[in-house]
Amino acid sequence: MGYRLIGLAKPFITFAIYLIASSAFVSIARAENDCKKPLYLTFDTGHMGVAPLVADVLKRHNVRVTFFAANERTKEGDGSLGDYWAPWWRERAADGHEFASHTWDHTYWRADLGTAQQPSFRVRPSAGPREGQDFVFSAADYCQALGKAAARLKQITGKTPLPLFRAPGGKTSPQLLDSARACGYAHVGWAPAGFLGDELSSERVSNATLLRNALRDVRSGDILLAHLGIWSRKDPWAPVVLEPLIEGLKERGFCFRTLREHPVYGGRGVR
């Protein structure tokens, strides 16, 4: 008799565990959907040395972000959009992240040239065959650089990037922005408090200071900026700051969204 009762109890125990787990999942999903304090965490490419760590932290905390990608020089492999890193990007697409252009050779705007009718720009890429050189881009050249990064992202992830871009260093002009809009791209900057400081000198600004400042100053609706590796910072930001930052912001009632869900950028014909 006792054995029969134990045998009957097993399905009920399993069912109870299933109900508890399902209830917890629904509660988490409802909390995410009901969040009234969204943040938009974004990452620009870099040397990719911290990319695996960033991916692990985001997955562990169920945070989805928007990546702005250029084909930058990397510590390992053939560039951040090369074949070596292609599997990493495919995994991020499977995790539900979004992608956008950061130009192909991480090309900085330096000055406006030409006219309003025929705009051109002095530019300087920090990657690629003309790294560190100043030369002139036409508006069509700049659009091609935006489109090349977006096309490569789609090729390796199978996911259409958002019709957005971020100029390296955030350096733009009205003429540059008009030219990009004409070929279908809107520029995305970041909030003042959203500059997370991972490209600053670690001798001048410690990770502890950057974490404290972000937890104090970030506000609902802010777009946040970090990188997948900065060559010049000796004390890397992501291994120390990223996880406690996400945990601290969640404790303060914030949630994380991609730019596909942004009230302005998400309405630009994004599919």
PDB file of all heavy atoms in Angstrom, residues 36 66 81 90 102-103 156 160 170 179 201 221 226 242-243 245:
ATOM      1  N   LYS A  36       8.288  50.246 -16.303  1.00  0.00           N
ATOM      2  CA  LYS A  36       8.030  51.628 -16.727  1.00  0.00           C
ATOM      3  C   LYS A  36       9.311  52.451 -16.829  1.00  0.00           C
ATOM      4  O   LYS A  36       9.250  53.641 -17.090  1.00  0.00           O
ATOM      5  CB  LYS A  36       7.067  52.295 -15.734  1.00  0.00           C
ATOM      6  CG  LYS A  36       5.699  51.602 -15.603  1.00  0.00           C
ATOM      7  CD  LYS A  36       4.942  51.617 -16.931  1.00  0.00           C
ATOM      8  CE  LYS A  36       3.508  51.136 -16.752  1.00  0.00           C
ATOM      9  NZ  LYS A  36       3.435  49.697 -16.385  1.00  0.00           N
ATOM     10  N   THR A  66      21.631  46.478 -28.230  1.00  0.00           N
ATOM     11  CA  THR A  66      21.856  46.776 -29.637  1.00  0.00           C
ATOM     12  C   THR A  66      23.354  46.955 -29.856  1.00  0.00           C
ATOM     13  O   THR A  66      24.003  47.738 -29.156  1.00  0.00           O
ATOM     14  CB  THR A  66      21.108  48.047 -30.057  1.00  0.00           C
ATOM     15  OG1 THR A  66      19.717  47.888 -29.745  1.00  0.00           O
ATOM     16  CG2 THR A  66      21.266  48.297 -31.551  1.00  0.00           C
ATOM     17  N   LEU A  81      34.309  42.016 -37.709  1.00  0.00           N
ATOM     18  CA  LEU A  81      33.284  41.451 -38.596  1.00  0.00           C
ATOM     19  C   LEU A  81      33.865  40.406 -39.540  1.00  0.00           C
ATOM     20  O   LEU A  81      33.262  40.062 -40.552  1.00  0.00           O
ATOM     21  CB  LEU A  81      32.593  42.569 -39.399  1.00  0.00           C
ATOM     22  CG  LEU A  81      31.692  43.495 -38.580  1.00  0.00           C
ATOM     23  CD1 LEU A  81      31.120  44.606 -39.460  1.00  0.00           C
ATOM     24  CD2 LEU A  81      30.561  42.717 -37.905  1.00  0.00           C
ATOM     25  N   ARG A  90      26.520  35.376 -34.785  1.00  0.00           N
ATOM     26  CA  ARG A  90      25.342  34.523 -35.009  1.00  0.00           C
ATOM     27  C   ARG A  90      24.693  34.134 -33.684  1.00  0.00           C
ATOM     28  O   ARG A  90      23.457  34.102 -33.567  1.00  0.00           O
ATOM     29  CB  ARG A  90      25.740  33.270 -35.798  1.00  0.00           C
ATOM     30  CG  ARG A  90      25.899  33.504 -37.279  1.00  0.00           C
ATOM     31  CD  ARG A  90      25.967  32.202 -38.042  1.00  0.00           C
ATOM     32  NE  ARG A  90      27.214  31.483 -37.809  1.00  0.00           N
ATOM     33  CZ  ARG A  90      28.338  31.682 -38.505  1.00  0.00           C
ATOM     34  NH1 ARG A  90      28.375  32.585 -39.473  1.00  0.00           N
ATOM     35  NH2 ARG A  90      29.419  30.978 -38.232  1.00  0.00           N
ATOM     36  N   HIS A 102      28.196  50.812 -37.788  1.00  0.00           N
ATOM     37  CA  HIS A 102      29.134  51.731 -37.130  1.00  0.00           C
ATOM     38  C   HIS A 102      30.184  52.195 -38.151  1.00  0.00           C
ATOM     39  O   HIS A 102      31.285  52.567 -37.774  1.00  0.00           O
ATOM     40  CB  HIS A 102      29.784  50.995 -35.959  1.00  0.00           C
ATOM     41  CG  HIS A 102      30.466  51.851 -34.944  1.00  0.00           C
ATOM     42  ND1 HIS A 102      30.061  53.131 -34.602  1.00  0.00           N
ATOM     43  CD2 HIS A 102      31.572  51.605 -34.168  1.00  0.00           C
ATOM     44  CE1 HIS A 102      30.862  53.616 -33.670  1.00  0.00           C
ATOM     45  NE2 HIS A 102      31.794  52.721 -33.396  1.00  0.00           N
ATOM     46  N   THR A 103      29.780  52.183 -39.435  1.00  0.00           N
ATOM     47  CA  THR A 103      30.636  52.341 -40.624  1.00  0.00           C
ATOM     48  C   THR A 103      31.489  51.078 -40.783  1.00  0.00           C
ATOM     49  O   THR A 103      31.549  50.236 -39.871  1.00  0.00           O
ATOM     50  CB  THR A 103      31.535  53.588 -40.610  1.00  0.00           C
ATOM     51  OG1 THR A 103      32.641  53.403 -39.745  1.00  0.00           O
ATOM     52  CG2 THR A 103      30.750  54.837 -40.231  1.00  0.00           C
ATOM     53  N   ILE A 156      26.218  37.441 -41.881  1.00  0.00           N
ATOM     54  CA  ILE A 156      26.717  36.495 -40.880  1.00  0.00           C
ATOM     55  C   ILE A 156      25.689  36.144 -39.816  1.00  0.00           C
ATOM     56  O   ILE A 156      25.809  35.103 -39.172  1.00  0.00           O
ATOM     57  CB  ILE A 156      28.018  36.988 -40.226  1.00  0.00           C
ATOM     58  CG1 ILE A 156      27.838  38.319 -39.518  1.00  0.00           C
ATOM     59  CG2 ILE A 156      29.131  37.060 -41.250  1.00  0.00           C
ATOM     60  CD1 ILE A 156      29.110  38.852 -38.860  1.00  0.00           C
ATOM     61  N   THR A 160      18.227  41.154 -40.398  1.00  0.00           N
ATOM     62  CA  THR A 160      18.349  42.476 -40.992  1.00  0.00           C
ATOM     63  C   THR A 160      18.668  43.505 -39.918  1.00  0.00           C
ATOM     64  O   THR A 160      17.913  43.653 -38.954  1.00  0.00           O
ATOM     65  CB  THR A 160      17.054  42.881 -41.706  1.00  0.00           C
ATOM     66  OG1 THR A 160      16.767  41.919 -42.735  1.00  0.00           O
ATOM     67  CG2 THR A 160      17.172  44.266 -42.336  1.00  0.00           C
ATOM     68  N   GLY A 170      30.933  59.440 -32.071  1.00  0.00           N
ATOM     69  CA  GLY A 170      29.750  60.300 -32.053  1.00  0.00           C
ATOM     70  C   GLY A 170      29.942  61.586 -32.833  1.00  0.00           C
ATOM     71  O   GLY A 170      29.147  62.519 -32.707  1.00  0.00           O
ATOM     72  N   SER A 179      22.993  63.580 -45.103  1.00  0.00           N
ATOM     73  CA  SER A 179      23.440  62.632 -46.120  1.00  0.00           C
ATOM     74  C   SER A 179      23.087  61.202 -45.728  1.00  0.00           C
ATOM     75  O   SER A 179      22.659  60.397 -46.571  1.00  0.00           O
ATOM     76  CB  SER A 179      24.949  62.756 -46.338  1.00  0.00           C
ATOM     77  OG  SER A 179      25.286  64.037 -46.838  1.00  0.00           O
ATOM     78  N   SER A 201      40.721  56.958 -19.535  1.00  0.00           N
ATOM     79  CA  SER A 201      41.937  56.448 -18.915  1.00  0.00           C
ATOM     80  C   SER A 201      41.624  55.862 -17.538  1.00  0.00           C
ATOM     81  O   SER A 201      41.012  56.526 -16.692  1.00  0.00           O
ATOM     82  CB  SER A 201      42.957  57.584 -18.767  1.00  0.00           C
ATOM     83  OG  SER A 201      43.986  57.217 -17.884  1.00  0.00           O
ATOM     84  N   GLY A 221      14.782  55.927 -19.913  1.00  0.00           N
ATOM     85  CA  GLY A 221      14.818  56.354 -21.303  1.00  0.00           C
ATOM     86  C   GLY A 221      16.205  56.589 -21.844  1.00  0.00           C
ATOM     87  O   GLY A 221      16.365  56.815 -23.057  1.00  0.00           O
ATOM     88  N   ALA A 226      28.707  51.443 -24.303  1.00  0.00           N
ATOM     89  CA  ALA A 226      29.946  50.779 -23.897  1.00  0.00           C
ATOM     90  C   ALA A 226      30.552  50.143 -25.155  1.00  0.00           C
ATOM     91  O   ALA A 226      30.002  50.267 -26.248  1.00  0.00           O
ATOM     92  CB  ALA A 226      29.679  49.743 -22.817  1.00  0.00           C
ATOM     93  N   LEU A 242      30.324  45.705 -15.682  1.00  0.00           N
ATOM     94  CA  LEU A 242      29.090  45.393 -16.411  1.00  0.00           C
ATOM     95  C   LEU A 242      28.061  44.652 -15.554  1.00  0.00           C
ATOM     96  O   LEU A 242      26.889  45.061 -15.490  1.00  0.00           O
ATOM     97  CB  LEU A 242      29.403  44.575 -17.667  1.00  0.00           C
ATOM     98  CG  LEU A 242      28.183  44.193 -18.512  1.00  0.00           C
ATOM     99  CD1 LEU A 242      27.422  45.428 -18.989  1.00  0.00           C
ATOM    100  CD2 LEU A 242      28.606  43.332 -19.697  1.00  0.00           C
ATOM    101  N   GLU A 243      28.465  43.575 -14.895  1.00  0.00           N
ATOM    102  CA  GLU A 243      27.493  42.791 -14.132  1.00  0.00           C
ATOM    103  C   GLU A 243      26.925  43.561 -12.938  1.00  0.00           C
ATOM    104  O   GLU A 243      25.689  43.622 -12.780  1.00  0.00           O
ATOM    105  CB  GLU A 243      28.098  41.464 -13.687  1.00  0.00           C
ATOM    106  CG  GLU A 243      27.053  40.505 -13.131  1.00  0.00           C
ATOM    107  CD  GLU A 243      27.454  39.058 -13.306  1.00  0.00           C
ATOM    108  OE1 GLU A 243      28.663  38.756 -13.323  1.00  0.00           O
ATOM    109  OE2 GLU A 243      26.548  38.217 -13.438  1.00  0.00           O
ATOM    110  N   LEU A 245      26.655  46.693 -12.643  1.00  0.00           N
ATOM    111  CA  LEU A 245      25.847  47.779 -13.193  1.00  0.00           C
ATOM    112  C   LEU A 245      24.458  47.285 -13.559  1.00  0.00           C
ATOM    113  O   LEU A 245      23.447  47.906 -13.193  1.00  0.00           O
ATOM    114  CB  LEU A 245      26.537  48.367 -14.428  1.00  0.00           C
ATOM    115  CG  LEU A 245      25.754  49.459 -15.161  1.00  0.00           C
ATOM    116  CD1 LEU A 245      25.578  50.688 -14.272  1.00  0.00           C
ATOM    117  CD2 LEU A 245      26.445  49.830 -16.472  1.00  0.00           C
TER     118      LEU A 245
END
